[in-house]
Structure formats: structure tokens, C-alpha cells
Amino acid sequence: MTARSSEGPSDFVLGRASVGSREGGRLRVSLGAMLRDRVRRQIVFALERLVSAGSIPGSGLPRVVVEAPKQADHGDLATNWAMVAAKHVASAKGGASNPRGLAELVAGELRSDPSFERVDVAGPGFINLALSPGFLLDDLKEAASSAGLEVIEDAGHFARPTVETRPLSINVEFVSVNPNGPITIGSGRGAAYGSALCNVLTAAGHRVHREYYINDGVNSEQMRLFAESVRAIVEGRPLPENGYRGDYVSAVAEALRGGPALATTSEYQSASERLMIESQRSDLEAFGVVFDTWFSEQSLHDAGVVEQCLRDLEAKGVADDRPVRTKLNLGKGGKVDSIVREAQTGAVTDEGDAEPAAQSVSGHPPLWLRSTLFGDDMDRVLRRSDGRLTYIASDVAYHRDKFNRPPNADRLITVLGPDHHGYIGRLHAVVAANLIEKPSQSQGELSDWETELYGSASWRDACALARKASDERLEVQIFQLVRFIKDGKPAPMRKRDGNIFALIDLVNEIGRTVCPNGSQAQQNQAGRDVARFFYLMRSHDTTFDFDLDLAERQSDENPVFYVQYAHARICGVLRKAEEAVGAEAVEPAVAELHPKERVLALKVLDLPYEVQRTAEDYSVNRLATYSIDLARSFHAFYDACRVIEPGDKPTTARRLMLCRAAQASLKAALDLLGVSSPERMERASDD
RNA sequence: GCCCCGGUAGCUCAGUGGAUAGAGCAGCGGCCUUCUAAGCCGUUUGUCGGAGGUUCGAGUCCUCUCCGGGGCGCCA
């Protein structure tokens, strides 16, 4: 998050803050949503008083940013405002002003505010704040009476004061593999990431649509080969070259053998696809991933919209069948050095050998998407010379559909695996080609390569504008490779039959190991919890090692259990309190907090902030880190502070409130990750 | 060649332009008559790959560079 310098007082002063507003009769303050905003508001009030008194100028002041200091003895929260503001104040007054002096001025004002227990100026000009217990308890009360995720859904409204966000309609497409095999442990990362991302975006107030794009185009090479493999097995013939093999292929063949007779490969294709899609759906569900829409690529062809889209692109001048392909020679930083036009003399077979045009199946030249107009490094084929349409031809229609179909997505997020990295430029070109408008008048010099590629400044600018629009509306998130570690060494990703391990097998294996005496359902839950947490622990943007040895350990070192155990412990305390104290209403003691209580309270109240940031940068792993931190804070508190003290009911009431708040935050964080929050965890008393 | 990701403690990794860079694991030493010890507390560990730059301040931003992983099809 960047601190924006402001134009005037209206910005540095409250901005659009609306803390504690009511909307629809529902109190929006929850989970301390933005404890930081409440603090920020108090600081802004102090600054306003200083402005009124003429101590500081009333304009040109920077925005107040509240941050958490790394060192605990630097207080609960801090602001660097004085350091940033010093130069503005100095120039406004035409004299020197040092950050520390300015900080002292503001600190003096803040000391009269009962929200703060202590206000210190430190280092080069930080203002360190220790919050008063009453201030913290107000927020904890809200959090304690909340019910986890339900409340977090309001977090987006709180986000507004700090960052301007408006609720968007977001379509998130993830997993989207061919229906030619089970969901693999590789796709598992995308499944975990995509589903958790959707949870977070929802929590931040957006309307989210979860979508799976079924790559079932009848022209797909892989799908045809898959169908031919299944057919070969059913008909007892040898597999085609590079055909599909493995248990699941036989299983599909077996299932089809029992059904109505199939005559053609395309009948085999649609029948086996249906079976695979059903199996993928059930595997994903076992992994806690559910989609709103399963969108069939083939349905676009069937409806004729792909052909229509191609005609539209030709009319717009971004697709044509001239026998030439443009490539961009890119220099450092993606700058275009020069362009190359390659004459396309004929069709290229699957083996990559060029054939004379006369021998190509149809004799037609291919239809090109001129994606280089939008910065892609080479033009892409939409219709092959044999007349068949490519995958990106469907993508043109698919993206148009995603934008135009209700609820009319404001933004598309597409989650892709590392092998699709090269696809980003193409996708943006596809969207830009859809969005391009007629060029208007424009001026400016054209470079050599621009002259060759665009011919005119107005066309160049129209293409650049379309690409910009595409960048704003489509966000491609690439997740990186996962490496599985077993016995301390990288484990093979493939089984003996050559297929990548299935996600469902990973879930089952972990479940069985971790929960040997559990029921099928318990094992599935445990396997899912561990697998999801591990997938989400690390940034999706980094290759990471999935440590199977650690994942399958049913104990202390396993971070999943560490976090879940904290939740179970809280539930245990609350159950005990029910018996010991009952429903007796006692006002929580507003008194000196134990240091561990304070740390826990601050961590609990940090959740909405974490959710907000995660919804901004899509770094879902942050919530896994947060849940571990929160669990740690709780365990430390639990060990240091007795909660149920029959002789001290006010303190008991306060600590129970803290427990309930911690429970709400912890459960919410786990819910967002798609991991369960057990109310009890019994240690398996064995060996 | 170009693009993407990474390089932080012995290992796996967090880290929001801020103060003395943090966890977990591994190692060592303590703590259950007490709300669940799947827990807690203490202790050891750093040329943040390297070089410049931007500024009050850089692990974080920019440029260059070295090393590792991945990607560059009329496949998806």
C-alpha cells in the first residue's frame, strides 16, 4: 500500500472514512475492522486541532499511515507521519523543521486523548502508540460477538476508509484442465489457491463467480487422442501412438463398455469426457472446491459464436488470412527492437514440417489473430489451414461471453499453471481484440517498427488503448511449480504408468496416515485440511516444496495441527467456562492487560486488515501465515494467563471475551483457507 | 536470445519504503497436582547472491550482473 501525498486538507483529514456507519440496519463495525482506521482517525483529529491552532499548515500535508512496529517495545501501532510531513511543513513555513520536533508536537496533542495509554517519540521521528485497554476492549467486544466469516464479509466496507475499493463483480476461472484425466497434484495448487482467493475476495465485499472452463473442444488434439485411446481399449485394439494409459483410462473404458454402443470417435469423446468431468467434479468437491459454473468450450462452437467472433475480428482489422506471420524481436525490458515478417508458405503438420501450400488439406491459408498489435511476441493462428479452429479461437468467444453474460464481470481473474506462462500475452491480445474501438484522430511520431506494424498513429493508439483496457479487466495469476518431498528427497510426480499423481490420492493418503483410526469422512477432512494448508502456506508465485513427511506427521511440527489445536483449545476453555461460570453477565474488567493478552488482542483485530491486503494483491499465503501467528499468540496467552478464575469474575469475563474474539478470527482465517476448525482434538494415544 | 519465478539462519520459508531482519524445523536446557503438553519458556544462528542508483531511510523501488527453476508450436 502506498501512502499517497495529498492535494489538500480534505484528503489528509478524514477522507471518505465512515467508521461505525450503519447500512441496512446492520452495524458495520466488526472484528475491529480496521483498528488501524480508528487509530488513524484519532491522529487525524489531533492534526486538525493543530491546524486550527495554527501550529501546522492546513494544506499540503501527507496522508496519515498507521503501521505495526516490528519491535514489541515500540508500542502497539506507530505512525511515520512526522517524518514524511517534515519537509512539507518546512517548505510551507519557509523554514527548517525537523521530524522529531514535529513528532513531539503531534505526540503532545495525542497525549490528551484517552484512547492512548502511552505516546512516545522515538528514533528519527516515529510516534509510537500504546492503546488503552478500553480502546482495545471496544473492538474486542465487537469481534467476540461476531461469528467469524459472516462478519468478515463486511470487511470490505471497512476497507474503504484506507483504500478506495468498490465492490466488483469478479469472475475467477481456475483449474480448467482437459477432461482427459483426474485432477493432478499439480492442479491441486491452482485449485487450493483459486478457491481460497475466491473466499478472500468475497470476504472483502466483492461478488465472486467461480468458474471452470471445460476444455472439451472436439478439435482438441489431446481430447481426440484420449477418445481414441478409450475406444481402442473398448474394442480390444492396440493403443494409438502416445495414447493414454493408466487405471483411470481403463475405468472409463470399462464404464463405457457397460453402456449403449458407441460408433464413432466423437461419440466416444463426448461419452468419456462426461465421465471424466464427473470424476473431476467429485475429486474437487472432496478437496473443498466447488464451482458456480462449469463452462463448456464446445458449447461455444455449437452455438456458432466462435465463427461469429472471428468475423467480427476480421471486420475490426485485427485478424486476417494474409500468408505472413509477424514476430516481435524483444530487447531488454520487453522493448520492441524490431519486427520480423515471416512468409507462411504452407501448412505445418503436427510434426512441425512445412508442407507446400498446395498439399494442405483445404488449401486455405490460416486465419491469424494479429496479436502482435497488442504486444504479444508473435501472431497466433485462429483457424488452421485445414479449417479446424484453434483453442484461442474459442478463447475469443469465451472471454466475450464472460464479460457480457450477467452479472457482467467487471474483472476477470484467470489462474493458470506455470506451463501456461507463455499464454498471458495471448490472452491479453484476445481480450484487447474484443475490446478495441474504432481509432480516433491522434498524433505523435511513429518509430520505424511502429510504422511497419501499425501504419498510422491513430491505429497504434487504438491498439494501445485496447491493450490497456485488457490489462485493467483481465488479471492472469500464474502459480509456480510444486515439488513433492518424501524421505527428504524430491519424490517423483508421476506414477509408473506415466500419469501424474491424482490430487484425490494425495488427499486420501495424507488422511489415512494422519487419521488412521478415523472414518472415511474424517480421513477425507483431515487429508483435505492438511493438503490445502500446505498448498496455501507458501506464496503461489514461488516454487515450493510440499513436504510429505511433515504433512503426514500427526503432531506438533505440523503447522495445520498447531493452528487447529489453538481453535480446539479455545473451544475447550469456552466449554469449561459454560460449566464454571454459566451465563452470568459480568462486565469485563477494564484494567491493565497482561502483555500476552495485549499481543493476542492486537493480532485478533488484525484480521480485517489482512483480508483487505490479500484481496488487493491476491497473496493468499498471507492468511496461512496469519493463522499461524494468531495461533502462536493464543498458545502463549493461554500458557501465561489463567482464563477461568472463579475469584475474579471481571477478569474472567474479559479473558473469555478475548477467547471468543480469538476464536472468531481463527475460524474465519481457516474458513478462508478452506480448512476446518475442529472443536476438539484428541491426541491419538498410541505407541 | 527473450519472458516469468526464485536467491534471506545448517534446512524449509515469512517479511507492509521504516527503528536492533523474523518464524518453524534441526541442536541444547527448562516447564504438566492447575481451563487439552498436538502446548509454553529460554538459548545458538545472518556479507538479505553481487555492484551501482533513487531518499531522511532499501531485504523491499530502479538499472546492471551472477547463479538456480520454468516457459517460448497451425498443442492446450
Side-chain angles (χ1 to χ4, degrees):
Chain A
M1 202 184 324
T2 52
R4 280 178 296 236
S5 62
S6 70
E7 299 304 316
S10 65
D11 201 359
F12 105 79
V13 180
L14 281 175
R16 287 166 183 76
S18 57
V19 177
S21 69
R22 275 174 192 275
E23 207 175 304
R26 201 168 162 194
L27 189 66
R28 294 292 185 182
V29 175
S30 60
L31 263 167
M34 304 305 153
L35 175 71
R36 284 162 199 250
D37 282 334
R38 286 186 66 205
V39 170
R40 180 170 156 262
R41 213 162 82 116
Q42 299 309 111
I43 297 172
V44 169
F45 285 154
L47 293 177
E48 285 179 319
R49 291 196 294 275
L50 290 170
V51 169
S52 308
S55 310
I56 54 176
S59 66
L61 294 176
R63 182 187 170 85
V64 174
V65 175
V66 174
E67 59 195 9
K70 278 184 195 161
Q71 304 263 133
D73 57 333
H74 289 153
D76 300 332
L77 291 167
T79 181
N80 63 353
W81 186 85
M83 286 181 286
V84 182
K87 65 182 101 170
H88 295 283
V89 173
S91 61
K93 289 193 153 181
S97 176
N98 69 76
R100 267 202 84 107
L102 192 56
E104 285 294 354
L105 188 66
V106 178
E109 196 59 41
L110 288 171
R111 288 196 183 99
S112 65
D113 185 333
S115 307
F116 305 113
E117 189 177 82
R118 217 181 63 231
V119 179
D120 297 322
V121 173
F126 291 100
I127 302 172
N128 292 333
L129 306 164
L131 302 175
S132 65
F135 192 85
L136 280 170
L137 291 180
D138 283 348
D139 273 20
L140 282 175
K141 201 172 288 178
E142 296 292 343
S145 62
S146 71
L149 196 56
E150 182 200 337
V151 172
I152 303 205
E153 283 175 9
D154 288 341
H157 301 278
F158 281 104
R160 253 181 257 162
T162 315
V163 178
E164 285 179 53
T165 57
R166 67 186 174 90
L168 299 172
S169 175
I170 304 178
N171 178 298
V172 184
E173 183 207 323
F174 58 111
V175 186
S176 296
V177 296
N178 287 317
N180 60 0
I183 303 296
T184 65
I185 51 177
S187 299
R189 191 174 194 189
Y193 174 71
S195 58
L197 177 61
C198 288
N199 294 342
V200 173
L201 293 172
T202 305
H206 301 296
R207 274 186 306 162
V208 176
H209 194 82
R210 297 154 198 248
E211 184 147 333
Y212 184 117
Y213 184 51
I214 307 166
N215 294 192
D216 61 351
V218 293
N219 286 327
S220 157
E221 305 286 348
Q222 287 101 321
M223 290 317 300
R224 182 157 292 269
L225 186 59
F226 178 60
E228 280 165 1
S229 305
V230 171
R231 184 179 191 180
I233 294 172
V234 172
E235 296 176 354
R237 292 184 288 104
L239 282 177
E241 198 183 341
N242 297 322
Y244 286 74
R245 61 189 75 238
D247 294 348
Y248 79 91
V249 189
S250 313
V252 169
E254 195 53 42
L256 292 185
R257 202 174 281 154
L262 301 167
T264 64
T265 299
S266 71
E267 281 177 17
Y268 270 97
Q269 189 169 328
S270 58
S272 28
E273 276 169 12
R274 263 199 301 279
L275 289 170
M276 281 321 311
I277 291 166
E278 207 32 65
S279 131
Q280 291 182 350
R281 193 202 305 262
S282 98
D283 286 4
L284 286 166
E285 202 175 315
F287 192 56
V289 178
V290 176
F291 291 92
D292 299 307
T293 298
W294 289 69
F295 194 98
S296 157
E297 176 191 355
Q298 183 57 34
S299 72
L300 293 164
H301 292 288
D302 294 343
V305 290
V306 180
E307 285 293 350
Q308 180 57 49
C309 282
L310 297 190
R311 282 193 293 275
D312 292 347
L313 295 191
E314 285 186 88
K316 286 174 169 179
V318 295
D320 63 69
D321 60 1
R322 281 174 298 140
V324 61
R325 174 184 218 171
T326 307
K327 290 188 177 178
L328 302 183
N329 275 331
L330 299 178
K332 281 274 180 258
K335 291 243 187 322
V336 179
D337 283 344
S338 61
I339 70 172
V340 183
R341 303 274 199 190
E342 287 179 355
Q344 299 291 305
T345 53
V348 176
T349 66
D350 288 346
E351 288 73 43
D353 301 321
E355 295 174 5
Q359 288 175 19
S360 67
V361 180
S362 66
H364 289 302
L367 180 69
W368 294 94
L369 172 65
R370 300 304 177 185
S371 53
T372 43
L373 293 170
F374 308 108
D376 193 10
D377 57 345
M378 60 177 92
D379 290 340
R380 308 290 168 176
V381 171
L382 291 165
R383 189 190 293 114
R384 302 171 174 109
S385 40
D386 65 8
R388 292 181 304 155
L389 297 170
T390 63
Y391 186 74
I392 72 160
S394 339
D395 260 340
V396 175
Y398 181 45
H399 283 83
R400 184 180 293 190
D401 190 85
K402 279 207 271 194
F403 280 126
N404 295 336
R405 161 209 331 158
N408 299 70
D410 300 306
R411 182 188 296 167
L412 306 182
I413 298 175
T414 303
V415 177
L416 297 175
D419 51 332
H420 283 67
H421 159 251
Y423 213 77
I424 300 174
R426 237 164 296 183
L427 280 184
H428 276 293
V430 161
V431 171
N434 269 327
L435 294 175
I436 194 165
E437 304 279 346
K438 284 219 155 47
S440 54
Q441 77 291 353
S442 56
Q443 58 230 6
E445 292 296 306
L446 288 169
S447 67
D448 289 350
W449 70 265
E450 284 175 342
T451 307
E452 197 173 346
L453 188 59
Y454 298 104
S456 75
S458 59
W459 183 233
R460 175 198 62 191
D461 294 348
C463 290
L465 212 61
R467 172 60 205 244
K468 190 160 168 277
S470 167
D471 286 344
E472 281 166 8
R473 298 190 65 187
L474 170 72
E475 294 193 49
V476 181
Q477 287 291 315
I478 302 284
F479 61 90
Q480 301 294 326
L481 283 178
V482 189
R483 205 165 53 137
F484 285 80
I485 304 292
K486 185 122 190 163
D487 303 324
K489 298 186 301 253
M493 296 285 283
R494 291 176 184 278
K495 297 187 286 192
R496 271 193 212 91
D497 62 16
N499 291 305
I500 299 177
F501 281 102
L503 177 62
I504 191 73
D505 293 338
L506 175 74
V507 169
N508 289 336
E509 190 194 318
I510 295 175
R512 272 195 304 272
T513 315
V514 148
C515 191
N517 304 319
S519 67
Q520 178 76 42
Q522 287 168 328
Q523 290 187 348
N524 174 256
Q525 183 65 254
R528 176 208 294 192
D529 285 347
V530 172
R532 286 189 66 103
F533 197 91
F534 271 67
Y535 274 122
L536 296 171
M537 239 173 6
R538 306 293 178 222
S539 165
H540 69 283
D541 214 15
T542 309
T543 54
F544 92 108
D545 291 345
F546 191 119
D547 188 338
L548 287 165
D549 305 321
L550 181 59
E552 294 183 348
R553 227 167 290 164
Q554 188 216 6
S555 67
D556 49 331
E557 299 140 47
N558 193 324
V560 189
F561 300 135
Y562 181 81
V563 175
Q564 289 185 320
Y565 181 55
H567 185 268
R569 262 185 150 178
I570 297 173
C571 293
V573 174
L574 295 178
R575 274 194 303 270
K576 205 69 151 190
E578 199 72 21
E579 300 162 15
V581 190
E584 195 182 340
V586 176
E587 271 304 300
V590 181
E592 191 64 26
L593 300 176
H594 188 282
K596 303 284 186 190
E597 272 185 283
R598 183 177 286 268
V599 169
L600 176 58
L602 288 166
K603 190 51 91 175
V604 164
L605 297 174
D606 236 0
L607 178 66
Y609 179 64
E610 300 286 343
V611 169
Q612 174 198 296
R613 289 178 59 207
T614 306
E616 283 162 14
D617 68 9
Y618 305 162
S619 297
V620 173
N621 66 298
R622 175 178 294 120
L623 288 170
T625 306
Y626 171 77
S627 71
I628 294 172
D629 282 350
L630 178 55
R632 196 195 336 279
S633 302
F634 177 77
H635 286 309
F637 155 78
Y638 180 90
D639 201 70
C641 303
R642 177 109 197 136
V643 176
I644 302 165
E645 291 279 18
D648 184 354
K649 292 205 161 118
T651 300
T652 300
R654 186 183 71 224
R655 290 183 173 165
L656 282 174
M657 192 172 80
L658 181 55
C659 284
R660 277 192 290 271
Q663 182 191 35
S665 276
L666 202 48
K667 180 170 188 319
L670 287 172
D671 282 354
L672 291 171
L673 296 170
V675 174
S676 70
S677 311
E679 296 185 1
R680 292 171 200 273
M681 283 173 75
E682 308 300 337
R683 181 187 215 154
S685 53
D686 60 332
D687 27 354

